[in-house]
Amino acid sequence: MLVLGIETSCDETGVALYDTERGLVADALYSQVAMHAEYGGVVPELASRDHTRRLLPLIQQVLDQAGASRTELDAIAYTAGPGLVGALMVGASTAHGMARALAIPVLGVHHMEGHLLAPMLETSPPAFPFVALLVSGGHTQLVEVQGLGDYRLLGESVDDAAGEAFDKAAKMLGLSYPGGPQVAKLAELGDPGRFRFPRPMTDRPGLDFSFSGLKTHTLTTLKRLEQDGALDDQARADVARAFEEAVVDTLVIKCRRALDATGLKRLVMAGGVSANARLRERLERETDKRSARTYYPRGRFCTDNGAMIAYVGAQRLSAGERDEIGIMKAVPRWPMDTLRAPTRN
């Protein structure tokens, strides 16, 4: 089955072709980061308009890259949520329009399930079951994964997601959007011993996260340095290092608890923040100590992309799932624990 995957949930237009026999055939991505950087964050209306401009040319680019035509497609998968409703509608309407014209099945899939299963695109994918850390701009969750659609939420952020906290910290530090890579780059120049920021919710049992207090602590530290006339470039780097260390430590501690609680030996990390080099290093060190293993997708599949949507769509479409033609799904808020395993394999 040759499946076209379409991702338009936020500020990246992603398209890919996935074949259930050959694997990933082709993929392309257009990022809107430069456009939104001027505003310090994603502007939903601009995002939707840009998806409209970019999507059809990207679909043709991917087909040309694969040496395929639209008539060779067996099905289409698109991101139905969660995300920005206008951006989601661009992908949904395009997918349903093409599916109707080609008389092929179409299916809306869950964006975070795409991230969750993105490591399956690698040459050495994890086997079920495993613990997954989903860590991005909009979500920070720990999930026990027994199989496709068989998920148990172990813990999640009660306020800001880790990626959102990185973006806000970057803004406080005078860095550009998106904040995660900028904070990580500045942190490399920081003194790890100058400041120690709190590791939120690690002094109590449980697997939930909270990053709003860490954000407030960062702002308070910067204001105090400014009042003392000590907020120079080195101080900013030291604050960035302390902030990154606190986020990474918090995530690692919670992942360790999740592995201990479930008894599992495989940890999957996915989402935009999973590209953070310090986080990868620390989690690999932690799993090595437990004779466990960490899995994550290659860099370009950590952020939003069409390949992960094409993969998940292919699995569910192969099991007989599909939308009713013309009934488009665009779900801005869609809890992942409402997903179910396919009823037919």
Side-chain angles (χ1 to χ4, degrees):
M1 176 183 285
L2 182 62
V3 178
L4 175 70
I6 295 173
E7 156 60 26
T8 62
S9 65
C10 190
D11 61 346
E12 278 144 341
T13 312
V15 178
L17 281 174
Y18 183 86
D19 189 283
T20 51
E21 294 182 359
R22 295 179 291 159
L24 184 64
V25 178
D27 70 283
L29 181 73
Y30 180 83
S31 175
Q32 302 175 0
V33 164
M35 178 178 68
H36 295 296
E38 179 182 351
Y39 304 96
V42 177
V43 182
E45 178 65 21
L46 294 180
S48 301
R49 290 176 180 271
D50 204 55
H51 286 309
T52 302
R53 285 192 295 268
R54 308 290 179 181
L55 185 52
L56 288 178
L58 274 180
I59 290 173
Q60 190 60 52
Q61 177 183 329
V62 165
L63 289 169
D64 291 344
Q65 181 183 339
S69 67
R70 297 187 186 192
T71 57
E72 294 177 67
L73 296 174
D74 295 306
I76 301 175
Y78 66 95
T79 300
L84 303 174
V85 66
L88 293 169
M89 283 300 296
V90 175
S93 59
T94 302
H96 272 262
M98 288 183 63
R100 180 183 287 272
L102 297 169
I104 58 176
V106 61
L107 180 68
V109 302
H110 196 289
H111 176 76
M112 294 310 294
E113 186 173 35
H115 279 303
L116 178 74
L117 299 178
M120 298 300 189
L121 294 164
E122 302 305 316
T123 54
S124 298
F128 297 118
F130 54 78
V131 170
L133 171 66
L134 298 177
V135 57
S136 66
H139 301 81
T140 302
Q141 298 175 322
L142 279 166
V143 183
E144 181 181 356
V145 180
Q146 293 293 330
L148 177 67
D150 188 356
Y151 310 133
R152 180 168 70 97
L153 182 64
L154 301 173
E156 62 184 338
S157 179
V158 299
D159 41 58
D160 291 352
E164 184 181 5
F166 266 108
D167 285 341
K168 291 179 178 178
K171 193 169 185 178
M172 295 175 203
L173 290 162
L175 302 174
S176 61
Y177 173 87
Q182 300 297 326
V183 172
K185 183 177 179 180
L186 182 60
E188 290 298 320
L189 305 174
D191 177 1
R194 182 173 180 183
F195 301 109
R196 179 174 173 81
F197 285 7
R199 276 60 173 162
M201 294 183 73
T202 58
D203 59 348
R204 67 192 79 173
L207 295 171
D208 285 337
F209 303 88
S210 171
F211 294 105
S212 64
L214 179 59
K215 176 190 66 178
T216 302
H217 187 88
T218 302
L219 180 60
T220 301
T221 301
L222 288 168
K223 284 185 174 179
R224 185 177 70 248
L225 288 167
E226 187 175 23
Q227 290 169 357
D228 294 342
L231 187 56
D232 55 15
D233 289 345
Q234 185 58 53
R236 287 188 175 88
D238 296 342
V239 169
R241 179 64 177 265
F243 174 85
E244 184 186 48
E245 291 278 5
V247 173
V248 168
D249 275 357
T250 300
L251 294 172
V252 169
I253 290 168
K254 298 290 184 171
C255 285
R256 181 172 65 227
R257 289 181 183 177
L259 290 172
D260 289 345
T262 60
L264 296 175
K265 293 294 186 180
R266 288 179 289 271
L267 175 69
V268 162
M269 176 175 58
V273 181
S274 68
N276 183 280
R278 199 177 307 280
L279 178 59
R280 289 188 175 198
E281 177 189 354
R282 288 288 312 282
L283 282 177
E284 286 178 352
R285 195 187 316 160
E286 192 66 35
T287 50
D288 283 348
K289 288 192 294 187
R290 286 173 159 66
S291 299
R293 184 175 172 185
T294 301
Y295 299 82
Y296 41 77
R298 71 196 82 168
R300 78 176 192 271
F301 294 155
C302 289
T303 55
D304 297 348
N305 63 87
M308 66 184 191
I309 302 305
Y311 175 81
V312 171
Q315 308 312 306
R316 289 189 172 273
L317 284 157
S318 295
E321 294 188 21
R322 57 205 60 203
D323 291 352
E324 183 179 344
I325 291 292
I327 307 299
M328 297 177 291
K329 292 190 294 187
V331 189
R333 297 182 183 276
W334 187 1
M336 202 172 73
D337 57 6
T338 63
L339 295 176
R340 297 292 178 264
T343 55
R344 177 168 63 85
N345 293 314

